[in-house]
Amino acid sequence: MSSHNQIVFFDTTLRDGEQSPGCTMHHDEKLRMAHQLASLGVDVLEAGFAIASQGDSDSIRMIAREVRGPRIASLARCKREDIEAAARSIEPAEKARIHTFLASSDLHLEAKLKITRAEALDQAAESVRLARTFADDVEFSAEDATRTDPDFLIKIVTVAVQAGATTINIPDTVGYTTPDEYAATFRMLIEKVPGLAGVDGKDDVILSTHCHNDLGMAVANTLAGIHAGARQAECTINGIGERAGNAALEEIAAALMVRRDKLPYTNNIKLNQLYPTSQMLAEFISFGCSPNKAVVGANAFAHESGIHQHGMMANPLTYEIMTPESVGVPSTNMVLGKHSGRRLLEQRLTELGHKLTRSQLDEVYHRFTELADRKKSIYDQDLLGLLQPDKSAVITH
Ligand code: MN
């Protein structure tokens, strides 16, 4: 285990997230997002993939020039022209990182790259060495690490560490691993590769998680990796990213807060910026998160059933493990619908200035349930309308 418990949050919303369908952002949107990610407190901000396009390269350079706080990273394949383009794009940054990657699974080496394992080791070493001539901070990723032969994974990680990589990322590129298997991979690397965090009490080289959500386990796998010694978590806002997306930053951060007892790690994320950041991203890309999305979804703090609403009014801890305010959500959203009880109706009417007697409330509640059968959501104006039909229900203020 690492001798310290600080988790580095590496945000890749603008790279892995942005490259997925429906998530393209314009130049100025990326810059606004990057400023917001800095306010959120991310430690490393992967701003793009410099060689991919002139637009990507320009955006990284602008973010590197204007955004202060996070370390600014550019992705690069293990190719000279990629690494040089990455180096140029991050040049104005106060703190910069080159993130170079090479596939390590036989499937990727044979089918995609058409190179041997020996050639892969040479390319990884050469590329990390080249990147180090431009930046002190270099991350190496073994793409498809979770489907890589363990002995070869140890070899390629060893070579990258010897060549000067300062962070080693073990991506679950295709969202295939399970928490116990992923944890075992980190423990194996810490045991077998000299120089990795924890081996000799030093934290020279940090291990990193990068998990995809194809089986819905991205956050669970990330936390398992951290538990096994990883000290960097790669993630995105709203969990956007290739296919089913990446591990969601807000879920990792909220888990670290709520379950400090099981996950005793520190980090720099300002939790009350989670919701504003999520909202900003949804505004820029072509979709928001689903209503039932953990932490930042519209229903994450909404309560409709009468039993839950009653409990919430008595004590919010009955049905909430964190307050909405703690993650930047304005306030708990009590939805008036057909499952609501009369206590919430009474409370809302009181807030609207109408205090009813018990029998008046019974009558209004009866009309309310009739309306709620027909109408999905009941708004304040509907409630006021319910007071009107029966003038005998004298309304007192
Ligand atoms: Mn990825």
Side-chain angles (χ1 to χ4, degrees):
M1 287 289 285
S2 171
S3 63
H4 67 76
N5 284 328
Q6 178 77 12
I7 304 302
V8 173
F9 271 81
F10 176 114
D11 181 275
T12 185
T13 303
L14 297 179
R15 200 280 296 168
D16 204 320
E18 209 261 348
Q19 75 190 43
S20 60
C23 295
T24 306
M25 282 173 255
H26 302 303
H27 206 58
D28 54 334
E29 290 170 336
K30 285 187 188 174
L31 182 62
R32 279 182 63 196
M33 199 65 212
H35 278 298
Q36 179 58 32
L37 289 167
S39 301
L40 175 64
V42 306
D43 303 285
V44 185
L45 194 169
E46 188 163 60
F49 189 0
I51 197 84
S53 71
Q54 189 60 43
D56 243 35
S57 168
D58 291 345
S59 292
I60 300 167
R61 203 173 162 82
M62 181 178 59
I63 290 167
R65 197 172 54 230
E66 298 195 16
V67 177
R68 287 294 171 262
R71 185 174 290 280
I72 308 300
S74 170
L75 189 66
R77 287 169 298 183
C78 279
K79 291 174 178 239
R80 173 171 286 276
E81 62 269 31
D82 278 45
I83 291 165
E84 288 174 350
R88 279 194 300 276
S89 70
I90 56 172
E91 187 268 324
E94 191 178 47
K95 293 176 286 180
R97 170 176 297 184
I98 295 175
H99 175 196
T100 189
F101 74 99
L102 185 69
S104 54
S105 67
D106 288 330
L107 181 61
H108 278 238
L109 291 180
E110 288 163 17
K112 188 180 76 175
L113 301 175
K114 303 191 192 317
I115 58 172
T116 64
R117 285 183 173 192
E119 287 167 325
L121 293 177
D122 287 346
Q123 274 189 27
E126 275 171 35
S127 300
V128 170
R129 269 198 296 272
L130 176 63
R132 278 301 302 263
T133 65
F134 297 110
D136 291 339
D137 189 303
V138 171
E139 172 170 334
F140 175 76
S141 284
E143 189 191 9
D144 204 21
T146 52
R147 293 191 301 170
T148 297
D149 168 44
D151 289 333
F152 186 64
L153 186 62
I154 291 167
K155 277 203 185 99
I156 199 162
V157 168
T158 302
V159 157
V161 169
Q162 286 170 349
T166 49
T167 297
I168 295 288
N169 184 35
I170 305 299
D172 184 28
T173 305
V174 291
Y176 177 73
T177 199
T178 62
D180 60 336
E181 181 184 73
Y182 200 47
T185 301
F186 283 99
R187 282 195 291 268
M188 172 191 77
L189 291 170
I190 289 168
E191 191 192 331
K192 303 281 189 190
V193 181
L196 288 184
V199 174
D200 43 19
K202 289 193 229 150
D203 291 320
D204 294 333
V205 179
I206 289 195
L207 280 169
S208 170
T209 66
H210 179 110
C211 297
H212 279 269
N213 207 32
D214 299 70
L215 295 175
M217 292 191 281
V219 171
N221 287 335
T222 299
L223 296 175
I226 288 172
H227 204 60
R231 288 295 175 269
Q232 175 177 284
E234 301 196 359
C235 46
T236 59
I237 300 302
N238 294 350
I240 67 168
E242 293 280 6
R243 305 178 313 279
N246 288 67
L249 183 151
E250 58 276 5
E251 295 178 17
I252 301 166
L256 293 179
M257 165 187 67
V258 174
R259 296 312 306 270
R260 277 184 297 258
D261 57 327
K262 293 280 178 194
L263 302 159
Y265 309 103
T266 55
N267 66 83
N268 293 325
I269 295 296
K270 291 171 189 69
L271 291 159
N272 64 5
Q273 291 300 309
L274 289 175
Y275 185 72
T277 312
S278 165
Q279 292 290 106
M280 181 185 281
L281 179 67
E283 189 190 313
F284 291 161
I285 65 176
S286 60
F287 57 92
C289 53
S290 65
N292 62 329
K293 167 77 175 60
V295 186
V296 291
N299 287 354
F301 295 95
H303 305 275
E304 185 174 331
S305 101
I307 292 170
H308 287 221
Q309 288 177 341
H310 181 197
M312 282 293 295
M313 283 187 284
N315 182 343
L317 291 176
T318 51
Y319 289 103
E320 281 183 359
I321 57 171
M322 54 191 156
T323 64
E325 292 79 11
S326 69
V327 293
V329 175
S331 70
T332 302
N333 181 15
M334 294 275 218
V335 178
L336 278 165
K338 68 175 181 180
H339 303 110
S340 299
R342 69 189 66 206
R343 282 166 192 277
L344 182 65
L345 178 69
E346 183 182 22
Q347 182 184 301
R348 183 64 61 86
L349 286 169
T350 304
E351 284 165 6
L352 293 170
H354 300 280
K355 204 160 174 55
L356 308 191
T357 64
R358 184 160 189 125
S359 65
Q360 287 168 342
L361 180 66
D362 286 345
E363 284 177 41
V364 175
Y365 183 70
H366 180 69
R367 290 200 288 273
F368 166 77
T369 54
E370 282 177 346
L371 180 65
D373 267 337
R374 288 181 276 124
K375 204 166 177 292
K376 230 178 158 83
S377 297
I378 311 286
Y379 300 102
D380 289 346
Q381 60 268 34
D382 299 318
L383 295 183
L384 296 173
L386 291 175
L387 300 175
Q388 299 304 322
D390 184 2
K391 298 286 184 192
S392 69
V394 179
I395 308 305
T396 52
H397 287 260

